[in-house]
Each structure stands twice: as C-alpha cells, then as structure tokens.
Amino acid sequence: MRLSTRGRYALEAVLALTLCEADKPVSLNEISVMTALSRPYLEHIFTHMKRAGLVLSVRGSQGGYRLAVKPNEITAGQVLRAAEGSLAPVRCTRPDNMADACARADLCRTRPVWTELDRAISSFVDRLTLAALAESYRTESGDCYLPATGGTGGD
C-alpha cells in the first residue's frame, strides 16, 4: 500500500491544527506556515476533512478551522480515509468492492494475505488518535509548530 501526498499531508495538516489552541480557529495561512504546504492545497485537504465531519470551518476575520470533536475521538485512520478513500492494499479487500469481488476470489491463493494486511493496516491507523500523535510530538519538540516538510502540495 502506498499513500499519496494528499493522505500524508492531510494527516500533517490536521495534526498541526490539533497542536494549536483547541478553542480558537486556525487560519489556512497559519497552517500553511506550520506545514510548508500551499494554501490552495490545504483548501483541497480541508474540504475533504470538513466533508468527513472531522473539522469545522469558522467564517470571519478571526475564522479558520478547528476540530469538530476532541482530538482523542479522531484517529489517523479517519483522516487518511477522508483524504484517500479506502486504505485497502488491493482492490478485492476494499469494503466497497464486496459486491463485485474479483471473479477469481474463490480461487485466489494470496487473498488471505491481502485480507490480513488490510486488517493490520486498519488496526494500526485506527488506534492512533490525534491526541496521542500530538502528545508524542509535544514530548519531542514542545511547541505548536511542525517543522516545515518542504511539501509543495502536489500529488
């Protein structure tokens, strides 16, 4: 399985949001500075996050984005799925593909490998909360700002 930059940058952007004051909206410009991601690319990411119910947008001069729920209620898996869609390593293990599973599914000797890999990936990303990721980051660096990644915002 390979995540696109959209998934990687979405997790970084939402983590940056998590690291800042929870009760204050954070502007895309601030998040752009924290992550070194372009504002247009962040707009694209936050559209997906908002659609998934993970963030709320606040309008006005003091507006921006904030988490829709507490950081301990949002997992890395939710953020990645909002950005990427399914995290299944192969198409035949995707939940949305069960109706039209591969014609070889009953004969496929390697399908159990892909099914178990899918479970392992989901288990891992679904137990990592934003709160835990933020705490780990704070322990290592102690501040709100993420180091610049050098990202350009492209896929």
Side-chain angles (χ1 to χ4, degrees):
M1 182 193 97
R2 183 176 175 160
L3 292 175
S4 71
T5 55
R6 183 177 9 170
R8 293 182 7 238
Y9 293 163
L11 187 57
E12 186 172 348
V14 175
L15 180 57
L17 184 62
T18 304
L19 289 164
C20 294
E21 295 179 49
D23 58 342
K24 176 185 157 239
V26 182
S27 74
L28 286 180
N29 287 337
E30 291 173 290
I31 296 168
S32 178
V33 168
M34 289 184 263
T35 61
L37 299 173
S38 73
R39 183 185 161 106
Y41 199 64
L42 287 168
E43 287 173 358
H44 179 71
I45 286 170
F46 277 96
T47 297
H48 288 279
M49 298 304 110
K50 187 176 172 186
R51 191 177 302 138
L54 301 176
V55 301
L56 300 171
S57 61
V58 179
R59 294 184 178 271
S61 62
Q62 300 299 313
Y65 288 90
R66 64 182 182 82
L67 296 179
V69 296
K70 295 176 183 168
N72 65 344
E73 297 174 11
I74 300 174
T75 67
Q78 289 173 294
V79 173
L80 292 172
R81 285 185 195 93
E84 298 277 350
S86 173
L87 299 179
V90 293
R91 188 172 178 196
C92 69
T93 62
R94 289 174 41 180
D96 63 342
N97 193 44
M98 293 314 247
D100 11 280
C102 173
R104 298 185 61 244
D106 293 339
L107 304 171
C108 182
R109 292 180 182 97
T110 59
R111 192 161 194 268
V113 172
W114 313 131
T115 301
E116 187 59 32
L117 181 59
D118 183 37
R119 283 189 197 119
I121 291 167
S122 291
S123 174
F124 178 72
V125 297
D126 289 339
R127 73 174 178 258
L128 292 174
T129 66
L130 291 180
L133 291 171
E135 182 59 33
S136 175
Y137 178 81
R138 285 185 187 109
T139 299
E140 291 180 22
S141 72
D143 66 11
C144 170
Y145 297 99
L146 293 171
T149 61
T152 61
D155 269 272

